[in-house]
Amino acid sequence: MISVIIPHLDQPEMLRKCLASVTREVNPRLSVEIIVVDNGSKQMPMEVCSSFANVRLLSQPVPGPGPARNLGVANAAGNILAFIDADCVAADGWLDEIDHQFSSDANKSILGGDVRIGCENPSHPTLLEAYESVFAYRMKEYIAKQGFTGTGNLAVRAEVFASVGEFGGIDIAEDRDWGQRALKRGYRTHYCEKMIAYHPARKSFSELALKWQRHTAHDLARVKGRRGWRFRWIARAAAVALSPVAEVRRICSSGRLSSWRARGLAFVGLVLIRGYRAAIMLSLACGATDATTLSRRWNPRSIAGTPSKNT
């Protein structure tokens, strides 16, 4: 059995599309269960989940996608655990590819799939769609260089997950933490290019800013306290601000952009984002911004320190 686990927070219509993409392709020979774990939404997505067969809805009041996924795992019956985010759409054959990869090679224990940007108009992408098509969700690179993949498109054997342990909480980058713990225990993550999930680009700069606020706070937590950390952190901020020049070749050669207009938009987006990241880093180094507050903005209800209650 494959247990599909989906964390959810205030995205009912995106969740509907996600569930539709997962359920439309189920091969009759596959045994599949789907577990949606709500993480403190203003309204539980009961109507959405009840529209699909074999979907269970759980509630995890502890903020963070990690705790939500952990609750899903604790209630899963499958020997394979497949994770996808509520705002993602699984490509045709997603579950079949997971089943094929694990069935054909007993040595494979963790799969990391390809995450692509789902553009509303692929021939005319927006600035953020163009930017994220090149620079977001570079799972193949993460796996090759750092040994981890994103938890928004991840599959793992249940016994391997039990051996590695649960995902971390909202104050750490739970995908990197879990993947690198798995690597230390001898489990290798395999990149699977045919295991595809589509993620929408952010609609506004402020949405993308929230992502980088959290990721930058997590990065600071890893280095803060080490000798000379502040000097190295400031030097890194300067390097981030200057780095767009070194990325021109990547933008020009990317197979995910089809026009020079899109490539130009991607570069403009890169300059804006890298500049913003550098500003956050300097603000954290100077103590003008609190890292804990930034890391918890994935779920604003966590900032108050009291988990929200669902009705």
Side-chain angles (χ1 to χ4, degrees):
M1 176 184 282
I2 299 178
S3 296
V4 180
I5 299 168
I6 308 172
H8 170 264
L9 177 65
D10 289 325
Q11 297 174 307
E13 291 310 310
M14 288 185 173
L15 174 62
R16 189 186 300 276
K17 293 178 182 178
C18 178
L19 291 173
S21 71
V22 174
T23 57
R24 72 167 176 254
E25 59 143 334
V26 175
N27 189 319
R29 70 179 180 79
L30 285 180
S31 178
V32 177
E33 66 171 359
I34 301 172
I35 303 172
V36 175
V37 185
D38 190 78
N39 198 213
S41 295
K42 296 174 183 176
Q43 183 174 349
M44 288 275 283
M46 291 181 286
E47 185 273 331
V48 173
C49 293
S50 64
S51 301
F52 298 88
N54 201 29
V55 175
R56 279 191 289 161
L57 175 61
L58 306 176
S59 174
Q60 171 57 281
V62 178
R69 294 187 184 100
N70 292 337
L71 181 63
V73 172
N75 286 270
N79 60 321
I80 294 173
L81 306 172
F83 300 94
I84 188 169
D85 285 346
D87 55 358
C88 289
V89 172
D92 291 342
W94 184 71
L95 284 171
D96 280 334
E97 184 63 22
I98 292 172
D99 176 62
H100 169 71
Q101 290 292 326
F102 283 130
S103 299
S104 61
D105 190 343
N107 292 319
K108 288 184 177 179
S109 55
I110 306 171
L111 301 176
D114 185 12
V115 179
R116 302 179 185 177
I117 296 299
C119 299
E120 293 186 5
N121 183 352
S123 63
H124 201 80
T126 66
L127 183 148
L128 290 181
E129 286 175 342
Y131 162 76
E132 291 202 287
S133 290
V134 180
F135 294 101
Y137 312 113
R138 293 180 284 179
M139 302 310 174
K140 184 177 182 180
E141 184 176 321
Y142 296 156
I143 292 170
K145 295 182 178 180
Q146 300 184 52
F148 80 95
T149 190
T151 41
N153 189 11
L154 168 72
V156 56
R157 298 185 190 273
E159 68 268 22
V160 172
F161 186 90
S163 174
V164 176
E166 294 185 333
F167 294 114
I170 200 169
D171 292 327
I172 65 170
E174 79 284 345
D175 48 5
R176 178 196 292 153
D177 172 72
W178 190 89
Q180 293 183 343
R181 277 192 283 127
L183 188 62
K184 289 179 181 179
R185 296 188 68 88
Y187 300 113
R188 177 187 167 194
T189 299
H190 295 262
Y191 177 68
C192 184
E193 63 181 0
K194 294 182 179 180
M195 177 184 159
I196 302 170
Y198 291 92
H199 192 292
R202 273 72 176 182
K203 299 296 183 184
S204 66
F205 186 88
S206 60
E207 290 183 38
L208 196 55
L210 282 175
K211 166 192 169 181
W212 282 113
Q213 287 172 9
R214 182 178 178 226
H215 281 253
T216 305
H218 290 162
D219 288 342
L220 178 64
R222 297 173 64 207
V223 302
K224 191 173 183 180
R226 299 178 186 176
R227 187 172 182 177
W229 73 267
R230 196 183 305 275
F231 174 79
R232 289 195 295 270
W233 183 258
I234 293 173
R236 182 178 170 187
V240 167
L242 296 172
S243 64
V245 176
E247 299 286 5
V248 172
R249 182 176 179 183
R250 181 194 294 270
I251 293 172
C252 291
S253 62
S254 174
R256 295 188 176 184
L257 298 175
S258 59
S259 69
W260 285 107
R261 171 190 172 276
R263 298 181 200 281
L265 289 174
F267 182 74
V268 172
L270 177 65
V271 171
L272 292 173
I273 291 298
R274 296 283 172 89
Y276 180 73
R277 287 175 57 190
I280 296 174
M281 294 175 73
L282 292 174
S283 180
L284 287 168
C286 297
T289 302
D290 179 64
T292 301
T293 299
L294 291 185
S295 69
R296 295 188 174 190
R297 284 183 177 173
W298 183 89
N299 185 336
R301 295 168 182 81
S302 69
I303 297 175
T306 303
S308 61
K309 294 183 179 180
N310 298 308
T311 56

